[in-house]
Amino acid sequence: MKRYIKTVISIAILSGTIASCQTEDLPLSGINAVPEGYRAVEFMAEVPRMNEVQTKAVDPDGGGVQNMTIFCFDVNSLFITTVTAEILSGKGGLEGTFKANVPDHTVTMHFIGNQNLTYFKEDSYRGRSEVDVMHDLEASAGRMIYWNRETIDNIDLYRTSALKLIRNQAKFTLEVADGVRFTPSGWVVVNTNAFGTVAPYCAEHGFEAPHYIDRPFVSMPGNLMKLGDFLDVRNNSEEYVFETENTADDPIDLIVKGRNGDETEDRYYRISIIDNTGDYIPIYRNHHYEVIIQGELLYGQETFEEALTTPATNNVLVSVSDDIKQIGDGVNTLSVKET
């Protein structure tokens, strides 16, 4: 007997169809179109405007959720299939309506927006564990991926509340404090990874949004390739990077080009992401790292290449605590905001 369950979900994203030959692309119109052994799930999604991350910067590939894929797992957390949600309205915009038919023995679902699954060989993963499938799934280079995990039994809870999808990247911005005589002409985050993970996972917490727990973690991909060679700074108002452990052996740096006071020529400066004890700060997904120049920068170099190896202009202090938004050393400040 066919079962038809219509569920409406409101999804707020805090931060087109991609299909392979194995993906379940099923007819979705009308009650009679639900195949035997499947249940229909219908939901609304919206991308609210936020102060921390402006709408146009949410997705470098065009803004908003371009597509939505649901990874389905059974009661034993074994992979069943992927289902491409049909976009009924609002494709690529700030809000829309989606629906999909998922296997009726689905227990756990991973909601993923904007992931390219062209090279995902679904048959190779069928019947494998949730950890094997989702922890190994790498995000496409240069794409902002949205993710969350939920069980089928909890879907009704989101008829009126929001299922929050988190970004798999961190945001960096650069500002100059009021009254500071420094004029930037460009900047860039260097030594960043070309790939990242789609779903955050660690053995202690399982699949969990890192900022929801007391001890955040970094979920690294198997492919640690770097994002090419940087030749100079850029004029972007923000930079998005995949999360990284950011260690002394493999640091993330900002290279800033600009001039102090009445100087007539720009120089290049390196800023390391470290705290007041000299420890490097992990770069977490879905966090906003705001570097604020509050004084004259030191150790300026004539070329971009020289700045990559020169001493950092100063120590940058940081806090990832919810109740301490920003601290500084009197020169520069790095503040972290959960987005």
Side-chain angles (χ1 to χ4, degrees), residues 184-188 232-239 257:
S185 58
W187 63 283
V188 69
D232 209 334
V233 297
R234 303 166 179 167
N235 293 318
N236 298 337
S237 60
E238 65 277 314
E239 292 269 335
K257 183 180 181 181

Side-chain angles (χ1 to χ4, degrees), residues 245-307:
E245 295 174 349
N246 188 31
T247 63
D249 294 332
D250 190 21
I252 293 290
D253 291 318
L254 269 72
I255 304 298
V256 180
K257 183 180 181 181
R259 63 187 66 181
N260 293 300
D262 296 325
E263 293 176 347
T264 58
E265 295 183 357
D266 287 347
R267 288 184 173 270
Y268 293 88
Y269 303 87
R270 183 170 70 91
I271 297 177
S272 295
I273 311 305
I274 56 180
D275 62 18
N276 59 338
T277 65
D279 294 328
Y280 285 79
I281 302 299
I283 308 302
Y284 298 117
R285 70 179 63 203
N286 211 56
H287 281 63
H288 176 186
Y289 294 79
E290 185 177 28
V291 178
I292 303 175
I293 298 175
Q294 295 185 324
E296 182 176 301
L297 298 188
L298 307 176
Y299 311 122
Q301 302 297 313
E302 293 185 357
T303 67
F304 182 85
E305 292 76 11
E306 291 174 327

